[in-house]
């Protein structure tokens, strides 16, 4: 069974700092990997989706990379802002199932 | 347009009671997913619908859980004889086509508390 791990579980940084969130998965036979953010009391918002044939995706200040062979993905956030504070989840798809990590809780301090 | 909606937003019930959770997907989305998020744990996949059919029910934790989808739209997740370990946030998501190329759009969830 696919297992997805996210490190660190929580992260606190001052505003303006660049940061990296990590995601690892045990089975490299994935179709895609997706990064989401979850705000308290709300559902998930998709940030970036990387197909298995791709190495990275960029959207604004966000950049996600995928190394399928090593079972790793990183989410890079540039010039962090207080509005970036949320829980970030990664999910991998294998077949019709999606496996989520437990998330990294990010706090950006003004 | 409107996003995925779920009702109720909060549900408190007594152990042993049945509950129904509702999901209204984005109009036109053929795929619908149910997940469970327990405190301190990641999202747990429960079931996936393509149209009205559920090709994969392997995620349902027990036979007390069932789900249906009618008219390719609204879905209901039913939990019979609720137990305290059923307490969690139940999230629904929909996607246009389904499968692995498609982005899922999530609803705000239903927080279920079983006393």
């Amino acid at each position: 069974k696919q297992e997805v791990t996210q490190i660190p579980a929580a992260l606190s940084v001052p505003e303006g700092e660049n940061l990296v969130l990590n995601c690892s998965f045990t089975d490299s036979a994935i179709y895609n990997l997706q990064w989401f953010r979850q705000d308290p009391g709300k559902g998930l918002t998709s940030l970036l989706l990387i197909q298995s044939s791709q190495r990275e995706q960029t959207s604004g200040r966000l950049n996600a990379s995928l190394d399928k062979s090593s079972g790793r993905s990183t989410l890079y956030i540039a010039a962090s802002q207080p509005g970036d504070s949320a829980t970030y989840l990664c999910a991998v798809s294998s077949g019709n199932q999606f496996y989520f990590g437990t998330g990294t809780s990010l706090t950006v301090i003004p | 347009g409107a996003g995925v909606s779920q009702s109720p937003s909060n549900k408190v019930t007594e152990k042993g009671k049945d509950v129904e959770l509702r999901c209204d997907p984005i109009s036109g989305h053929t795929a619908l997913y149910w997940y469970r998020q327990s405190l301190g744990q990641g999202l747990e996949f429960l079931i996936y619908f393509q149209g009205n059919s559920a090709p994969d029910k392997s995620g349902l934790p027990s036979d007390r859980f069932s789900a249906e989808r009618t008219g390719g739209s609204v879905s209901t997740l039913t939990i019979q004889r609720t137990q305290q370990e059923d307490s969690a946030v139940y999230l629904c998501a929909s996607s246009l086509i389904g499968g692995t190329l498609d982005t899922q759009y999530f609803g705000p969830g239903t927080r279920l508390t079983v006393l």
Side-chain angles (χ1 to χ4, degrees):
Chain A
K1 180 185 174 183
Q2 179 77 266
E3 292 186 5
V4 182
T5 304
Q6 291 187 247
I7 295 173
L11 182 63
S12 183
V13 300
E15 181 177 2
E17 192 164 297
N18 302 326
L19 59 102
V20 174
L21 307 180
N22 297 291
C23 173
S24 61
F25 46 96
T26 55
D27 186 350
S28 63
I30 66 169
Y31 292 108
N32 66 40
L33 182 143
Q34 204 162 357
W35 282 93
F36 295 86
R37 71 173 278 168
Q38 185 174 29
D39 294 279
K42 297 185 179 181
L44 278 67
T45 301
S46 178
L47 299 174
L48 291 165
L49 184 150
I50 311 176
Q51 301 294 346
S52 62
S53 59
Q54 299 174 323
R55 296 298 298 257
E56 67 176 344
Q57 283 287 331
T58 298
S59 176
R61 294 182 294 108
L62 306 179
N63 176 276
S65 68
L66 174 63
D67 184 343
K68 199 171 72 165
S69 61
S70 67
R72 294 182 181 182
S73 175
T74 61
L75 178 66
Y76 175 83
I77 303 177
S80 58
Q81 302 172 357
D84 295 332
S85 298
T87 296
Y88 290 80
L89 298 163
C90 73
V92 298
S93 70
S94 300
N96 286 323
Q97 292 227 14
F98 293 83
Y99 300 89
F100 283 77
T102 53
T104 294
S105 177
L106 173 66
T107 302
V108 180
I109 304 167
Chain B
V4 178
S5 61
Q6 292 185 246
S7 61
S9 56
N10 281 284
K11 176 71 176 178
V12 180
T13 190
E14 294 179 348
K15 178 181 174 181
K17 299 284 189 182
D18 298 351
V19 295
E20 282 189 356
L21 311 180
R22 177 187 169 108
C23 172
D24 283 87
I26 294 173
S27 178
H29 279 197
T30 62
L32 186 146
Y33 307 80
W34 282 99
Y35 297 89
R36 177 168 71 175
Q37 188 174 32
S38 302
L39 189 64
Q41 298 185 20
L43 268 73
E44 176 188 3
F45 168 81
L46 298 178
I47 192 169
Y48 155 68
F49 285 93
Q50 183 63 260
N52 292 334
S53 301
D56 189 348
K57 300 181 180 179
S58 62
L60 294 175
S62 77
D63 59 6
R64 297 186 295 105
F65 287 72
S66 63
E68 64 175 15
R69 189 179 185 197
T70 56
S73 181
V74 173
S75 176
T76 302
L77 178 69
T78 301
I79 309 173
Q80 295 178 311
R81 306 181 302 281
T82 52
Q83 303 294 313
Q84 289 183 332
E85 61 263 29
D86 299 334
S87 296
V89 175
Y90 289 81
L91 291 165
C92 172
S94 71
S95 65
L96 183 61
I97 300 172
T100 59
L101 301 180
D102 222 7
T103 297
Q104 294 182 44
Y105 297 86
F106 281 78
T110 293
R111 181 175 297 279
L112 174 66
T113 303
V114 182
L115 302 177

